Amino acid sequence: MANDKRIRVGIVGGAGYTGGEMIRLLLNHPDVSISFVHSRSNAGNPLYAVHADLLGETERSFTAELSNDIDVMFLCLGHGESKKFLEANDVAPHVKIIDLSQDFRLGESVKGREFVYGLPELQREQIKQAGNVANPGCFATAIQLGILPLAKAGLLTEVHTTGITGSTGAGQSLQATSHFTWRANNISTYKVLNHQHLKEIRRSLVQLQPGFEAGINFVPVRGDFPRGIWVTSYLQSDLTLEAAVQLYKDYYAGHPFTHVSEKQIDLKQVVNTNKVLLQLEKVGDKLVIHSIEDNLVKGASGQAVQNMNLMCGLDETAGLKLKSIVF
Amino acid sequence: MANDKRIRVGIVGGAGYTGGEMIRLLLNHPDVSISFVHSRSNAGNPLYAVHADLLGETERSFTAELSNDIDVMFLCLGHGESKKFLEANDVAPHVKIIDLSQDFRLGESVKGREFVYGLPELQREQIKQAGNVANPGCFATAIQLGILPLAKAGLLTEVHTTGITGSTGAGQSLQATSHFTWRANNISTYKVLNHQHLKEIRRSLVQLQPGFEAGINFVPVRGDFPRGIWVTSYLQSDLTLEAAVQLYKDYYAGHPFTHVSEKQIDLKQVVNTNKVLLQLEKVGDKLVIHSIEDNLVKGASGQAVQNMNLMCGLDETAGLKLKSIVF
Amino acid sequence: MANDKRIRVGIVGGAGYTGGEMIRLLLNHPDVSISFVHSRSNAGNPLYAVHADLLGETERSFTAELSNDIDVMFLCLGHGESKKFLEANDVAPHVKIIDLSQDFRLGESVKGREFVYGLPELQREQIKQAGNVANPGCFATAIQLGILPLAKAGLLTEVHTTGITGSTGAGQSLQATSHFTWRANNISTYKVLNHQHLKEIRRSLVQLQPGFEAGINFVPVRGDFPRGIWVTSYLQSDLTLEAAVQLYKDYYAGHPFTHVSEKQIDLKQVVNTNKVLLQLEKVGDKLVIHSIEDNLVKGASGQAVQNMNLMCGLDETAGLKLKSIVF
Amino acid sequence: MANDKRIRVGIVGGAGYTGGEMIRLLLNHPDVSISFVHSRSNAGNPLYAVHADLLGETERSFTAELSNDIDVMFLCLGHGESKKFLEANDVAPHVKIIDLSQDFRLGESVKGREFVYGLPELQREQIKQAGNVANPGCFATAIQLGILPLAKAGLLTEVHTTGITGSTGAGQSLQATSHFTWRANNISTYKVLNHQHLKEIRRSLVQLQPGFEAGINFVPVRGDFPRGIWVTSYLQSDLTLEAAVQLYKDYYAGHPFTHVSEKQIDLKQVVNTNKVLLQLEKVGDKLVIHSIEDNLVKGASGQAVQNMNLMCGLDETAGLKLKSIVF
C-alpha cells in the first residue's frame, strides 16, 4: 500500500495506558499514519515525555487540536468520558470511531452513531461493515473467548470463572492497590461475583444461545504482575474432551489470534501479543477452559487495531505481528 | 519454665523448606530445646550451610544420628517418606510424633501408632490427647478454615474454590515451574478440580456435617510470589452476611490464630505469621469466603508447633507470636 | 521481668512504615509495654485500620493524646518533623527520646537535648549512657557497617559503593516511582554520588579515622522488591583477604547482630531480621565488602529497639530474635 | 524486496534463550526466510514445544539436519560450543556466520574464518564488509555503549561500573540462583571485579584510545527480574555536562538504536526492544553515565539481526521495530 493510501488516524486520550499502547502499535503499523495524538493536559509535550519508552521512536508531540481530516478516531478515554467527548465535539460523519471505554458496549448510541460490539471472534462480518465499534473490556474478552463456542452450540450451563489481572488493568492513577510496596507478592480480590463486564459478556452469550439465563459467577483477582489476564472457567458438560477441543478448533478456525493449545498453558505465552490461547480439560463431568491474553493488547488497544483493520479492509493481522516478551 | 523442663524435640528431614521453618520457629520457642536436626545428606554441615539465614543464629550442625531421648519428633519428609521412615526406625513409644507429610492424614497408621488430624480449629481437644498428629496440608488448612463453620452448622452446599499458592508450596527442587525466568510475572494452574488435598478436606467436612456429598470444586493456581496462599470459596446460602459473620465469629472465638476481618483482606496481612484471616461477602444468593495463610507457617511448620503446644500442655501461641512481613 | 518493671514507651508518628514496624516489634518485646501510639490523623481508629496485619494482634487504637508517663519516646516522623515536634511539645526530662528521622544525626540539639548517634557497632557505650539517640539512616547503617573496621584500623581509602534499596525505603506515599506497574521488573537510580546519608557516614568515619578526606562515591539504586538493602563497597587495600576477615571478625566480636559470612551472601538472608551480614572478597589490589540489612528493621525500627535496649539496660537482643522471611 | 530475494538463514542451537529470540525476531523480519532451526535434542518437535509462545505463529519444527543452502548462519550455542561446532561441521564459504557465543570475540579464528567484533556503534563499516561476526556479550554491549564516546575522545580514565542483570542472562538451565523461591525479591553479586566480559570491553576501548590502561572496575549484580540490564558507570572527568552530552550525541548521531536521554531513565523503557538509552549526570568532578538495554535483544539476538542487516546490505533497523513492553 503506497503511503498516500495509508489510513489516517487520530488518537484521543493519548496519555493513558491504552493510549500509549495505541501509539506503540500504530507507529509500527505498515498501513497507518498517525494524524494526531490528542491530550489536553499534555498538549505541546513530546509523546516520550509521558511514554518514556517512545524516546528514539518518534519526535511527535501531543496536541490539544482535533481534526476531522482522518479516517479513524480511537477514543482512549475513561469510562463515561467517551460519551461526553462525542457529545461535546463534532466528529465528521466519515470518521469511523473505535471506542475503548465501556460507554457503548451495551447498545448505547450518541448523536445517531450506533456502535457494533467489537469482538471479531463473535461477529467479524458486522465489524467489517461497522461505522463505529465499541471495543470489548479486557476481562470480557478473555472470558467470552473461553465460552463462546459452547454458547454457539447451545451447550452453555452455569459458569464458574476466576480471572487474575495484571496491575495495568487499573490504569496509571496512583492508588493504594497499585502501590508497589503493597502489591508486590500480594493477592486480593475485588467486585467478587459483581464485575461490570458481566453485562457485556451476557449480552454476547444470549446472542449466540438465546434464552441462556444461568449464572456466570466471576471472581476477579488482583495479581502481582503488570500485564496479562488469566481466566479459568468450568461448567457441567456432557462433551468429551475430544469433542470439546474439536468444537473450539472449529469455532476459531480462520481466526488468526485465537488458538487452542493441547498442552498446559501459562500466561507469559501471550504477554505483549494480540493472541488468546485456550486450553481445555475434562475432569469428571466438568469441562474446564483456561484462556489467556494481554489485557492491554488483545484486551484493549491491540483488539482496537484488529477492529480497525477489519473496518478498513486491511489484513486482520496488519501491525499485530508482535514479538512476545516470553520471559 | 526452667530450662530442664523444656520440651526436647528432634527434627527429621531438616534440610527442606518445612524443616527449615521448624528450626526457625523452634530456635526462638521459649519452652523448647532442639535435641537434633537430622539429615542424612547434610550430616556434619552447620545448619546455616543449608539455611543461610541461620548464620548468626546458631552454630548447630545436622546429624545423621537419631535419638529417642526426646519428647517430640517432627517429620519433615516428602510424601511417602514418613511412613517408610517410621517402618525403618524404632521410635520409642513415649515420643510424640508430628508428621508434616500427607502419609497419615486419612486415618492411616503404622506399627500401631494412630494419628489425629492436626487442625486445632477442627478438634483441639483430640489433639491435646493425641500421641501422634498428622499435620494438615497447606491448601487443606486454608480451604477448611473457610468453610468449617458452615459445615458445623449443617449449611454446606456445593463449594466453588480458587486457591493461589506461592512457589514455596512446591518445595526446593529445581523444576521448570519454579524457574525464576518462567515463573516471574506468570500464572498457571495445576491439578484442576483434582487436587490431592480434597480427600482430607472432605473427611473433615463429613465429620462436622455427616452426609455431605456435594462437590468441592477446587482450582489450584501457581502464583508468582514465594509465600502465602489465597483462597476464595463461594456457595449458595440463605444466610445473611450478618448471620454468616456471626456464625464464623462464634466458631473461631477462643481460637487465637483465626480471625474474621470486617474489611477487605490481602495476602500480605498474614505472610510470615501463623494467622488465618477470613473475610465474608454476600452477593445475591451466594456467600463468598476469602481465607489467607502463610503456607509454610500456618500451612505447615507453624501449625506443627501449634499442635506440639497443644499436645504438650503449653500455651497454644507459645513461640508463634511472629512479626509479619507486611510489605 | 515482672509487668510493673516493664519499660513504658510512646510511639509518635505511628501510622507510617517505621511506626508500624515499631508497633510490631514492641508488641512482642518481653520487657516493654506500649503506653500510646500517637497519630493525629488516625486518632480513634484501631491500629489495624492502618496496619492491617495487626488484626488479631491488638485491639489498641491510635490516640491524639501525648503523655509524659513513659520511659521512652520513639519519634517516627518525617525528616524535619521531629525537630518541629520537640519544639512544639513539652517532653518531660526523664523521657528518653529515640528519633528515627535525620534531624539530629549531625550533632543538632533542641531545647538542650543532645543526641548520641545510635549505631551500636560504632559506640555502644555512649548509647548506653545517652538520654537521646538519633537513629541512623538505612543506607548509612549498611554502608558504615561495611567499612567501619577499616576506618578504625586507619586503613580506609577512597570508597566506591553501590546500594540497592527496596521500595519501603521510600515510605508509603503514592509516587510515580512507587507505582507497581512502573516499579515491577524495573531498575533506576537517584541522588547519584549525592545521597544525604553521606554526611552522617563521613562523620562516623572521621571519628574513627581522623583526617579521612577521600571520596565516598555512592550510587543509590531503586530495586524492584519491597524490603532490604544490598550494599557493595570496594577500595584499594594492601590487606590480604584473611587479614581483612580477621579485622572484621575482631571488630564485630561481641556485637550480636553483625556477622561475617565466609560464603557468598544474598539479601533474603536478613530480610525481616535485625541482622547485618558482611562478606569480603579480595580481587587484585581491591578489597570488596558486601553488606545486607532489612532497611525497616536494622535500618530503622529494629535498630531503634536495639538502642532502647542499650539505653535501658536490657539485653541488647531483647525483642529482636526475629524469624527471617528467607523466601 | 520480493520473496525470492529474501535472506535465507539457518539457526543452530535454536532451543535456548537466544535461539528462541532469534526465531521470534526472524519470523517477523520482512526480508528473511528461515531455512532451518537446528537442535539435535529437539529434532522433529515443533518449535512451540520448546518456545511455547510460538504457538499460533508457526508450525515449523526443529531439525537435526544442517544445510549450506543459506546465506547466513546464526550460532546460538553455549560458550566453547561454537568453536567445536565449526570444527566439526563444514559450513560453505559463502555462508556468513554470526556467532553469539564468546568464542571469537577476542580475535580467535577457525578454519581460516576471521571474525569481526559485531558492535555496530563501534565499527559499522567493518561489519558491513565482514564475512563472520562475533556478537558482543550482553554486559559488554551496555558497558561499552556507555563509555565508547569518551574513549574515542581520548578522555577515558579509571571507570567504576555497576551492572544489574535480569535472570535470562543466566540462560534456561535450572540452578539454585535461578530458583524462583530464592531469586524473587533477592539481590546478590557474582564475579565481582572479575567478569569475563572485561576482556572484550578493554579490547574495544584500546582500539579507540590506544594506550588506555586504567582500571575498569565492574560489579555485576543479579537482579530479581527476567529481562534487561542496567549499567551505571562513573569516572573523573573535566567535561561539563553539556560538553559530555554533546560528545555522546555526536558519537551516536546516525546510530538508530542508541539514544541520549535528557531525563532520568529507567530500565523498562527498553525492555523487549533493540534500543540502548543513555543518560549522563555530572556530580562534582565525576561524570556519571547510565545505560540500559534488553540483554536478550540488543544484548544478544537483536544485535545479531542488526549485524545481519548490515552484513547483507539491508536497512539496519529491518525487523527490529519492536513494541516495548513498557510495563
Side-chain angles (χ1 to χ4, degrees):
Chain A
M1 183 175 281
N3 257 10
D4 50 4
K5 293 285 197 164
R6 286 212 233 165
I7 309 290
R8 298 159 305 162
V9 309
I11 299 170
V12 177
Y17 278 1
T18 56
E21 288 286 280
M22 288 303 328
I23 300 168
R24 277 169 213 113
L25 292 168
L26 295 175
L27 275 177
N28 291 328
H29 194 297
D31 306 319
V32 163
S33 103
I34 299 177
S35 295
F36 64 81
V37 180
H38 182 269
S39 165
R40 230 166 316 179
S41 52
N42 292 285
N45 295 328
L47 299 186
Y48 61 70
V50 171
H51 306 297
D53 64 295
L54 294 180
L55 186 68
E57 308 290 319
T58 175
E59 292 298 315
R60 180 188 290 274
S61 290
F62 292 102
T63 176
E65 305 296 311
L66 295 168
S67 158
N68 273 313
D69 199 17
I70 54 173
D71 302 301
V72 177
M73 178 181 283
F74 292 96
L75 301 184
C76 302
L77 299 165
H79 299 310
E81 298 301 314
S82 290
K83 188 142 182 287
K84 285 187 204 160
F85 174 87
L86 292 176
E87 284 167 349
N89 292 280
D90 286 323
V91 181
H94 79 272
V95 176
K96 297 175 196 292
I97 294 178
I98 300 175
D99 177 41
L100 279 77
S101 84
Q102 66 185 30
D103 292 3
F104 303 102
R105 292 181 194 153
L106 303 179
E108 301 90 336
S109 63
V110 62
K111 292 181 177 171
R113 282 190 184 261
E114 311 231 316
F115 288 75
V116 169
Y117 186 68
L119 187 61
E121 290 83 355
L122 173 69
Q123 46 188 8
R124 182 156 51 186
E125 293 312 313
Q126 291 91 319
I127 295 167
K128 285 183 181 174
Q129 308 305 324
N132 310 289
V133 156
N135 215 51
C138 52
F139 264 136
T141 297
I143 293 173
Q144 286 177 78
L145 295 185
I147 53 180
L148 283 183
L150 292 168
K152 187 169 176 216
L155 296 174
L156 209 59
T157 58
E158 183 178 15
V159 185
H160 301 277
T161 296
T162 299
I164 308 176
T165 182
S167 61
T168 49
Q172 65 192 347
S173 72
L174 303 178
Q175 301 169 285
T177 52
S178 63
H179 196 227
F180 179 83
T181 296
W182 183 83
R183 187 143 180 171
N185 308 301
N186 212 354
I187 291 289
S188 58
T189 54
Y190 64 108
K191 300 182 184 167
V192 178
L193 304 187
N194 204 20
H195 194 278
Q196 67 273 16
H197 286 181
L198 289 172
K199 287 182 193 160
E200 60 184 278
I201 294 169
R202 185 169 291 279
R203 208 161 179 264
S204 301
L205 297 178
V206 172
Q207 182 177 329
L208 292 184
Q209 181 173 334
F212 176 72
E213 289 189 353
I216 310 167
N217 304 281
F218 172 35
V219 177
V221 181
R222 290 187 195 95
D224 68 324
F225 50 89
R227 267 184 191 261
I229 281 182
W230 173 282
V231 168
T232 295
S233 297
Y234 63 86
L235 73 174
Q236 201 133 5
S237 173
D238 292 336
L239 289 172
T240 63
L241 179 60
E242 293 66 32
V245 166
Q246 195 55 51
L247 181 76
Y248 276 67
K249 289 196 165 178
D250 289 349
Y251 186 98
Y252 291 115
H255 287 286
F257 293 112
T258 305
H259 305 280
V260 179
S261 171
E262 310 269 357
K263 286 177 53 182
Q264 294 208 346
I265 58 177
D266 63 87
L267 182 55
K268 289 204 291 188
Q269 288 180 260
V270 298
V271 172
N272 217 28
T273 79
N274 199 51
K275 288 196 292 192
V276 167
L277 293 186
L278 301 163
Q279 183 215 339
L280 286 79
E281 301 186 67
K282 189 79 195 281
V283 189
D285 63 349
K286 299 286 197 307
L287 181 66
V288 183
I289 312 106
H290 309 289
S291 56
I292 52 177
E293 69 171 21
D294 185 310
N295 55 306
L296 291 177
V297 188
K298 180 63 175 172
S301 305
Q303 187 149 260
V305 172
Q306 187 180 355
N307 281 319
M308 178 198 71
N309 289 345
L310 292 171
M311 294 163 83
C312 298
L314 303 174
D315 183 297
E316 189 170 351
T317 67
L320 292 171
K321 287 167 183 156
L322 302 169
K323 182 186 165 306
S324 143
I325 183 82
V326 211
F327 310 118
Chain B
M1 184 176 281
N3 257 10
D4 51 3
K5 293 286 195 160
R6 289 213 230 162
I7 309 292
R8 299 159 304 161
V9 309
I11 300 169
V12 177
Y17 277 3
T18 55
E21 288 286 279
M22 288 303 331
I23 300 167
R24 276 169 212 113
L25 292 168
L26 295 175
L27 274 178
N28 291 327
H29 194 298
D31 307 319
V32 162
S33 103
I34 299 177
S35 294
F36 63 82
V37 180
H38 182 269
S39 166
R40 230 166 316 180
S41 51
N42 292 285
N45 295 329
L47 299 185
Y48 61 70
V50 170
H51 306 297
D53 65 295
L54 294 180
L55 186 68
E57 307 291 319
T58 175
E59 292 297 317
R60 180 189 291 275
S61 291
F62 292 102
T63 175
E65 306 296 311
L66 296 168
S67 157
N68 273 313
D69 198 17
I70 55 174
D71 302 302
V72 177
M73 177 181 282
F74 292 97
L75 301 184
C76 302
L77 299 165
H79 300 311
E81 297 301 314
S82 289
K83 188 142 181 286
K84 283 187 206 159
F85 174 86
L86 292 176
E87 285 167 348
N89 292 279
D90 287 323
V91 181
H94 78 273
V95 175
K96 296 175 196 292
I97 294 177
I98 299 176
D99 178 43
L100 280 77
S101 84
Q102 65 185 32
D103 292 2
F104 302 101
R105 293 181 193 153
L106 303 179
E108 302 90 336
S109 64
V110 60
K111 291 183 178 171
R113 282 190 184 260
E114 311 231 314
F115 289 74
V116 169
Y117 187 67
L119 187 61
E121 290 83 355
L122 173 69
Q123 47 187 9
R124 183 157 49 187
E125 293 312 312
Q126 292 91 319
I127 294 166
K128 284 183 180 173
Q129 309 304 324
N132 309 288
V133 155
N135 215 51
C138 52
F139 264 136
T141 297
I143 293 172
Q144 287 178 77
L145 294 184
I147 52 179
L148 284 184
L150 292 169
K152 188 169 174 216
L155 296 173
L156 209 59
T157 58
E158 183 178 15
V159 185
H160 302 277
T161 296
T162 299
I164 309 176
T165 181
S167 61
T168 47
Q172 64 190 348
S173 73
L174 303 177
Q175 300 169 286
T177 51
S178 63
H179 196 227
F180 179 83
T181 296
W182 182 84
R183 187 143 180 171
N185 309 301
N186 212 355
I187 291 289
S188 58
T189 54
Y190 63 108
K191 299 181 185 168
V192 178
L193 305 188
N194 203 20
H195 194 279
Q196 68 273 13
H197 286 180
L198 289 171
K199 285 182 194 160
E200 60 183 279
I201 293 169
R202 186 168 290 281
R203 209 163 178 264
S204 300
L205 296 178
V206 171
Q207 181 177 329
L208 292 185
Q209 181 172 333
F212 176 72
E213 288 190 351
I216 310 167
N217 304 280
F218 172 36
V219 177
V221 181
R222 288 185 195 96
D224 68 323
F225 49 89
R227 267 184 191 259
I229 280 181
W230 174 281
V231 168
T232 295
S233 298
Y234 64 87
L235 73 174
Q236 201 133 4
S237 172
D238 293 336
L239 289 173
T240 63
L241 179 59
E242 293 66 31
V245 166
Q246 195 56 50
L247 182 75
Y248 277 66
K249 288 196 166 177
D250 289 349
Y251 187 97
Y252 291 115
H255 287 286
F257 294 113
T258 305
H259 305 280
V260 180
S261 171
E262 310 270 355
K263 288 177 51 182
Q264 294 207 347
I265 57 175
D266 63 89
L267 183 54
K268 288 204 290 188
Q269 289 179 260
V270 299
V271 171
N272 216 29
T273 79
N274 199 51
K275 287 195 294 193
V276 167
L277 293 187
L278 302 164
Q279 184 215 339
L280 285 78
E281 301 186 66
K282 188 78 195 281
V283 189
D285 63 348
K286 299 287 198 308
L287 180 66
V288 183
I289 312 107
H290 308 290
S291 55
I292 52 177
E293 68 169 23
D294 186 311
N295 56 306
L296 290 177
V297 187
K298 181 62 175 172
S301 305
Q303 187 148 261
V305 171
Q306 186 180 356
N307 281 320
M308 177 198 71
N309 289 344
L310 292 171
M311 294 163 83
C312 297
L314 303 174
D315 183 297
E316 188 170 351
T317 67
L320 292 171
K321 287 166 184 158
L322 302 169
K323 182 186 165 306
S324 145
I325 183 83
V326 212
F327 312 119
Chain C
M1 181 176 280
N3 258 10
D4 51 5
K5 294 283 196 164
R6 288 212 232 164
I7 309 292
R8 298 159 305 162
V9 309
I11 300 170
V12 177
Y17 278 2
T18 56
E21 289 286 280
M22 288 303 329
I23 300 167
R24 275 169 214 114
L25 292 168
L26 294 175
L27 274 178
N28 290 328
H29 194 298
D31 307 320
V32 163
S33 101
I34 299 177
S35 294
F36 62 82
V37 181
H38 182 268
S39 165
R40 230 166 317 180
S41 52
N42 292 285
N45 296 329
L47 299 185
Y48 61 70
V50 171
H51 306 297
D53 65 295
L54 294 180
L55 186 68
E57 307 291 318
T58 174
E59 291 298 316
R60 179 188 290 275
S61 290
F62 292 102
T63 174
E65 305 296 311
L66 296 168
S67 157
N68 274 313
D69 199 17
I70 55 174
D71 302 301
V72 177
M73 178 181 281
F74 291 96
L75 301 183
C76 302
L77 299 164
H79 299 312
E81 298 301 314
S82 289
K83 189 142 178 289
K84 284 186 205 160
F85 174 86
L86 292 176
E87 284 166 349
N89 292 280
D90 287 323
V91 181
H94 79 272
V95 175
K96 297 174 194 294
I97 294 178
I98 300 175
D99 177 41
L100 280 76
S101 85
Q102 66 186 30
D103 292 2
F104 303 101
R105 292 180 194 155
L106 303 177
E108 302 90 337
S109 64
V110 62
K111 292 182 177 171
R113 282 191 184 260
E114 311 231 315
F115 288 74
V116 168
Y117 186 66
L119 187 61
E121 290 83 356
L122 173 69
Q123 45 188 10
R124 182 157 48 186
E125 293 311 313
Q126 291 91 318
I127 294 167
K128 284 184 181 174
Q129 309 303 324
N132 309 288
V133 155
N135 215 50
C138 52
F139 264 136
T141 297
I143 293 173
Q144 287 177 79
L145 294 185
I147 53 180
L148 284 183
L150 293 168
K152 189 170 175 214
L155 296 174
L156 208 59
T157 58
E158 182 177 15
V159 185
H160 301 277
T161 297
T162 299
I164 309 176
T165 182
S167 61
T168 48
Q172 65 191 347
S173 72
L174 303 178
Q175 301 169 285
T177 51
S178 63
H179 197 227
F180 180 83
T181 296
W182 183 83
R183 187 143 181 170
N185 309 301
N186 212 354
I187 291 290
S188 59
T189 55
Y190 65 107
K191 300 181 184 168
V192 177
L193 305 187
N194 204 22
H195 194 279
Q196 68 273 14
H197 287 179
L198 289 170
K199 287 182 193 158
E200 59 183 280
I201 294 169
R202 185 168 290 280
R203 208 162 180 265
S204 301
L205 297 178
V206 171
Q207 181 176 329
L208 293 184
Q209 181 173 333
F212 176 72
E213 290 189 351
I216 310 168
N217 304 280
F218 172 36
V219 177
V221 181
R222 288 186 196 95
D224 69 323
F225 50 90
R227 269 185 190 259
I229 281 182
W230 174 282
V231 168
T232 295
S233 298
Y234 63 87
L235 74 174
Q236 202 132 3
S237 173
D238 293 335
L239 288 173
T240 63
L241 179 59
E242 293 67 30
V245 166
Q246 195 56 50
L247 181 76
Y248 276 66
K249 288 196 166 178
D250 289 350
Y251 186 96
Y252 290 116
H255 286 286
F257 293 113
T258 306
H259 305 280
V260 180
S261 171
E262 311 268 357
K263 287 178 52 182
Q264 294 208 346
I265 58 177
D266 63 270
L267 182 55
K268 289 204 290 189
Q269 288 180 260
V270 298
V271 171
N272 217 27
T273 79
N274 199 51
K275 289 196 292 190
V276 167
L277 293 187
L278 302 163
Q279 184 216 338
L280 286 79
E281 301 187 67
K282 190 78 195 283
V283 188
D285 63 349
K286 299 287 198 306
L287 180 67
V288 184
I289 312 105
H290 309 288
S291 56
I292 51 176
E293 68 171 21
D294 185 310
N295 56 306
L296 290 177
V297 187
K298 180 63 175 171
S301 305
Q303 188 149 256
V305 171
Q306 187 180 355
N307 281 319
M308 177 198 71
N309 289 344
L310 292 170
M311 296 163 83
C312 297
L314 302 174
D315 183 298
E316 189 170 349
T317 66
L320 292 171
K321 286 167 184 155
L322 302 168
K323 183 187 164 305
S324 144
I325 183 83
V326 212
F327 310 118
Chain D
M1 182 176 277
N3 256 9
D4 51 6
K5 294 284 195 162
R6 287 212 232 164
I7 308 292
R8 299 159 305 162
V9 310
I11 299 169
V12 177
Y17 277 3
T18 57
E21 288 287 279
M22 287 305 328
I23 300 168
R24 275 170 213 112
L25 292 168
L26 295 175
L27 275 178
N28 290 328
H29 194 297
D31 307 319
V32 163
S33 103
I34 299 177
S35 294
F36 63 82
V37 181
H38 182 267
S39 166
R40 229 166 318 179
S41 51
N42 291 286
N45 295 329
L47 299 185
Y48 61 71
V50 170
H51 306 298
D53 65 295
L54 295 180
L55 186 67
E57 308 290 319
T58 174
E59 291 299 316
R60 180 188 290 275
S61 291
F62 292 101
T63 174
E65 306 296 312
L66 296 167
S67 158
N68 274 313
D69 199 17
I70 54 174
D71 302 301
V72 177
M73 177 181 282
F74 292 96
L75 301 183
C76 302
L77 299 165
H79 300 312
E81 297 301 314
S82 289
K83 188 143 182 286
K84 283 187 205 160
F85 174 86
L86 292 176
E87 285 167 347
N89 292 279
D90 287 323
V91 181
H94 78 273
V95 175
K96 297 174 196 292
I97 293 177
I98 300 176
D99 177 42
L100 280 77
S101 84
Q102 65 184 31
D103 292 3
F104 303 101
R105 292 179 194 156
L106 303 178
E108 301 91 334
S109 64
V110 61
K111 291 182 176 170
R113 283 189 183 262
E114 311 230 317
F115 288 75
V116 169
Y117 187 67
L119 187 62
E121 291 83 356
L122 173 69
Q123 46 188 9
R124 183 158 47 187
E125 294 311 313
Q126 291 91 318
I127 294 167
K128 285 184 181 173
Q129 309 304 323
N132 309 289
V133 155
N135 215 52
C138 52
F139 264 135
T141 296
I143 293 173
Q144 286 178 79
L145 294 184
I147 54 179
L148 284 183
L150 292 169
K152 188 170 175 213
L155 296 173
L156 208 60
T157 57
E158 183 178 14
V159 185
H160 301 277
T161 297
T162 299
I164 309 177
T165 183
S167 61
T168 48
Q172 64 191 346
S173 73
L174 303 178
Q175 300 169 287
T177 53
S178 62
H179 197 227
F180 179 83
T181 296
W182 183 84
R183 187 144 180 169
N185 309 301
N186 211 355
I187 291 289
S188 58
T189 55
Y190 64 108
K191 299 180 184 168
V192 178
L193 305 187
N194 204 21
H195 195 278
Q196 66 274 14
H197 287 180
L198 288 171
K199 287 182 192 160
E200 60 183 281
I201 293 169
R202 186 168 290 280
R203 208 161 179 265
S204 301
L205 296 178
V206 171
Q207 181 178 329
L208 293 184
Q209 181 172 332
F212 175 73
E213 288 190 352
I216 309 167
N217 304 280
F218 172 35
V219 177
V221 180
R222 289 186 196 95
D224 68 323
F225 49 89
R227 269 186 189 258
I229 280 181
W230 174 282
V231 168
T232 294
S233 297
Y234 63 87
L235 74 174
Q236 202 133 4
S237 172
D238 293 335
L239 290 172
T240 63
L241 180 60
E242 294 66 31
V245 167
Q246 196 55 51
L247 181 77
Y248 276 66
K249 288 195 167 178
D250 289 349
Y251 186 98
Y252 291 115
H255 287 287
F257 293 112
T258 305
H259 306 280
V260 179
S261 171
E262 311 269 355
K263 287 177 51 183
Q264 294 209 345
I265 58 177
D266 63 88
L267 182 54
K268 288 203 291 189
Q269 288 179 260
V270 298
V271 172
N272 217 27
T273 80
N274 199 51
K275 289 196 292 192
V276 167
L277 293 186
L278 301 163
Q279 184 215 340
L280 285 78
E281 301 185 67
K282 189 78 195 283
V283 188
D285 63 349
K286 299 287 197 305
L287 180 66
V288 183
I289 312 105
H290 309 288
S291 56
I292 51 177
E293 69 171 21
D294 186 311
N295 56 305
L296 290 178
V297 187
K298 181 63 175 172
S301 306
Q303 187 149 258
V305 172
Q306 187 180 355
N307 281 320
M308 177 197 71
N309 289 344
L310 292 171
M311 295 163 84
C312 297
L314 303 174
D315 183 296
E316 190 171 350
T317 66
L320 292 172
K321 287 166 184 156
L322 302 169
K323 181 186 166 305
S324 145
I325 183 84
V326 212
F327 311 116

